[in-house]
Amino acid sequence: MRPRRWRAWTLRTLAALAGLALLALLAAWLYLRASLAQLDGRVEVAGLAAPVTIARDEAGVPLIQGHNRFDVAYATGFVHAQERYFQMDLLRRTAAGELAELLGPRALPLDRARRLHRFRARAVRTLAALSPPERAFLDRYVAGVNDGLRKLGARPFEYMLAGAPPAPWRAEDSLLVVWAMYIDLQGNQEPRELARGWLRAHSDADQLAFLLPEASRWDSPLDSVAAPAPPPAPARPPPWWGRPRTAAVQLAAIDIDNAVGSNNYAIAGSRSTTGAAIVADDMHLGLQLPNIWYRLALSVPDGKGGDRRLVGVTLPGAPPLVIAGSNGKLAWGFTNSYGDYFDLVELGVDAAHPGQVRTPGGWERPGEQVESIRVKGAAAERLLVRETRFGPIRAVGARRYALHWVAHAPGAVNLNHLRIEEAATLEAALSIAATNGIPAQNFIAGDALGNIGWTIAGRLPRRAPGKIRGGSEASFPLQPGGTPPWDGLLAPQDYPRIVNPAGGQLWTANSRQLMGPGSAVLGDGGFDLGARGSQLAGRLRQLGNRTDVPGAFAAALDDRALFIAGWRGRALRVLDAAATSGHPRRAEFRRLLETSWNGRASVDSSGYRLARNFMWALHDLLFGSAVEAMAAMDPKATMALANPRWPAVVARLLDEAPPGWLPPGMRDWRSVQLAAIDRVIADLDRDGVPLAQATWGARNTAAFAHPIALAVPALRGWLGVPRDPLAGDAHMPRVAGPAFGQSERMTVSPGREEEGLYNMPGGQSGHPLSPFFLRGHAEWVRGTPLPLLPGPARTTLTLAPAP
């Protein structure tokens, strides 16, 4: 009897536990469902002049129609909060250095680095300087954000997992989101200067000029000025050259070359089938879910009896402006400009000047501010920030630097981009762009009349004469007592611009835009090699004089391996009969270079991956010890960051074969190349990957996910993208990496938005239960364009004025 009772109680206990588990799962499911955005119905809210409708199509892309731009700003905030609040929260906290308050002590290192800039205090000051209409516009967006958050049936699911409530949105938070983009787009200039400073300290002047050329043969500047001839190789390399690392690393760990990207381009009306300009834009950024951009269309009365329609992408959390898109008369897009907008200013100290530091302006006593960093589950941490007139002070080893950054300047952030929404002509847009308070971007625009133009949108430093080129003092840490390379911001009328060039096309791809006098304005903050830009320019020329929107869109999908083909050719030449005799692995390497190669970065190509890895193995063989030493100062400091043109340097050495630059232990440059090939083979063997299975798609596989999946890897299958192999790579228009690439693809002619095309790597919603979470991802992977404008409405939500 007792055993039966024991079994019965055991079964009842197990059944009860199973029931509780099911109830918990049901409760979690119901909670998740309750935190989904409201798509249909009527919601009464305060402050609207008239009802606003939010009509979403089958992909969740809304058309927001309202009585005025203020009501539409409110509705934009409402949908941003309901679909993307956690993303918005991370962006503001990233800029402000407030992640530890939400994520705990593990976020403290990042918060300490961000707090040096005191961006929240800068945002408060910027907010006070807005005009009354600008402040009212931003306040309506903030009201929409907070109402959208409150109207959810449950707080966003991420906060349940984080164990913390969402904090309300404030007006200065929207400005912080713009500063988060400064960090994303210009933050690498600090480790770049550290890396270049290390090279200057460990190389003589001639060696430095050779290792850091200002241009390459791949550059294709918009002003068509020829690149200067590179300096000759000195007789001897610096002492660190060709020395091995103290600790071996896999090639995959040093392959960072997919971290530079973005293309935009325009075809003039003289070359389009309609007479209107065609503008295309694909901004390349780190990828995650949800995607950084939120696509929408806006419609407001134009004051003339009609409607003004805007279509494009917004940045959730930022002021509710169409970042890139079309207003019916003008279309525009951006790429990162990579000018020199940041300087490390080394500070001197002397016992005769206690409490002071020596700056380019003389001895100065830094101001001091104590920042309190809140930490979830722990006591707040106090951080002393010391700031000079050249910026806050950062310690790197025994040195102290002031961080002299355009992002700190008054006017670095403003709402002038709002005026581009109303620009009717190219001339108006170019003038407005020069006043924009955003990180300096290549701005390409085209109008319905067929005009096209380029300039810089965003704030530029006013440079001192001579502080401009890649080898100049401006691109290295400024030593104590030196002259500051810039002071204040450049006047808008002094911005360079190019309008209606003779070829009928404009393009930018993060490489040198100008080689002539206009380059003095920009400096060099890490321009790309130029191979991608020249390939894009060539592809646009091939489109001819009857170009349409689909043809222009396809240029962004160009994955021809024109750059890597040169490295493949070098490997084939060195893998001759003598090199492969008695070396079956080298022979197989050669066979795959010949047979598994179609001239593209194709997912099924082993030849592409092997040729690419050969280039990177040469990088590590020649620069490895230097990169290791740079990383000791800052983990992001690398040779590729110090000089993205390093492949041009290596190619010259292989072609010219100067014996004095041979790495220690190498008898000739043939031996160097064979050692690099053997290194590629050894790395793949170590990973257990047969050469024939080492396809590009096996290496270049989509791996981005929701940030929560980084903290809880078990959720990656639910919160991540499929592990799709991705065609494309760096140094070609179709830039693609596992978690980096084309964050959108947009091609449109102003006034003909119905013909516009679009792709995005993630869907509209950040909620995994939303039907819009991954909508459009498969088309992005395949490169199948979708309509830019929202389709027929499937759901309609009305926001109505409360009684």
Side-chain angles (χ1 to χ4, degrees), residues 535-739:
Q535 183 168 331
L536 176 61
R539 182 61 181 263
L540 296 179
R541 283 189 285 271
Q542 291 172 4
L543 295 176
N545 292 327
R546 297 288 294 169
T547 304
D548 58 12
V549 166
F553 183 92
L557 300 173
D558 182 3
D559 60 2
R560 290 174 299 155
L562 304 186
F563 173 74
I564 290 297
W567 298 96
R568 171 180 176 264
R570 288 185 174 87
L572 285 172
R573 285 192 294 273
V574 78
L575 285 170
D576 55 19
T580 55
S581 177
H583 293 277
R585 303 288 281 154
R586 289 181 182 174
E588 185 182 9
F589 194 108
R590 179 185 174 90
R591 179 182 64 80
L592 291 169
L593 287 177
E594 293 176 322
T595 62
S596 185
W597 171 270
N598 64 359
R600 297 181 177 274
S602 301
V603 298
D604 57 353
S605 174
S606 296
Y608 180 84
R609 181 175 174 183
L610 295 178
R612 184 183 192 274
N613 284 10
F614 167 60
M615 179 187 74
W616 277 100
L618 285 165
H619 169 279
D620 198 48
L621 194 155
L622 300 174
F623 301 112
S625 66
V627 173
E628 191 174 48
M630 294 171 187
M633 299 185 299
D634 189 304
K636 293 183 178 181
T638 65
M639 186 64 199
L641 195 59
N643 179 27
R645 292 176 284 276
W646 68 265
V649 175
V650 177
R652 281 190 63 196
L653 290 172
L654 297 182
D655 293 342
E656 298 172 11
W661 280 71
L662 281 170
M666 295 291 178
R667 65 178 180 273
D668 53 34
W669 285 99
R670 171 187 170 85
S671 302
V672 174
Q673 294 175 82
L674 289 174
I677 289 169
D678 292 342
R679 166 72 185 280
V680 174
I681 295 170
D683 266 24
L684 291 171
D685 286 347
R686 195 176 298 115
D687 292 339
V689 180
L691 291 184
Q693 295 178 22
T695 63
W696 178 234
R699 162 70 174 80
N700 201 40
T701 303
F704 54 96
H706 192 289
I708 289 294
L710 301 178
V712 189
L715 297 178
R716 198 209 170 280
W718 187 47
L719 295 174
V721 297
R723 303 285 292 187
D724 297 304
L726 300 175
D729 190 15
H731 302 310
M732 60 186 62
R734 190 172 187 169
V735 169

Side-chain angles (χ1 to χ4, degrees), residues 784-800:
T784 304
L786 298 171
L788 173 64
L789 282 176
R794 296 299 177 89
T795 64
T796 301
L797 176 67
T798 300
L799 304 180

Side-chain angles (χ1 to χ4, degrees), residues 97-112 373:
E98 296 171 355
L99 287 167
E101 184 179 11
L102 180 66
L103 304 178
R106 62 185 171 179
L108 271 172
L110 189 58
D111 277 358
R112 294 184 192 113
I373 304 176

Side-chain angles (χ1 to χ4, degrees), residues 175-229:
L175 304 181
L176 282 168
V177 171
V178 182
W179 266 298
M181 296 309 294
Y182 268 101
I183 293 168
D184 191 15
L185 297 171
Q186 297 179 4
N188 275 346
Q189 294 200 8
E190 183 178 348
R192 177 178 186 270
E193 290 225 349
L194 287 171
R196 290 171 73 87
W198 187 92
L199 287 171
R200 180 176 63 184
H202 296 85
S203 312
D204 66 32
D206 290 337
Q207 293 163 349
L208 196 65
F210 175 74
L211 292 168
L212 302 178
E214 298 178 16
S216 80
R217 65 181 180 85
W218 290 286
D219 277 308
S220 56
L222 297 177
D223 59 5
S224 300
V225 176

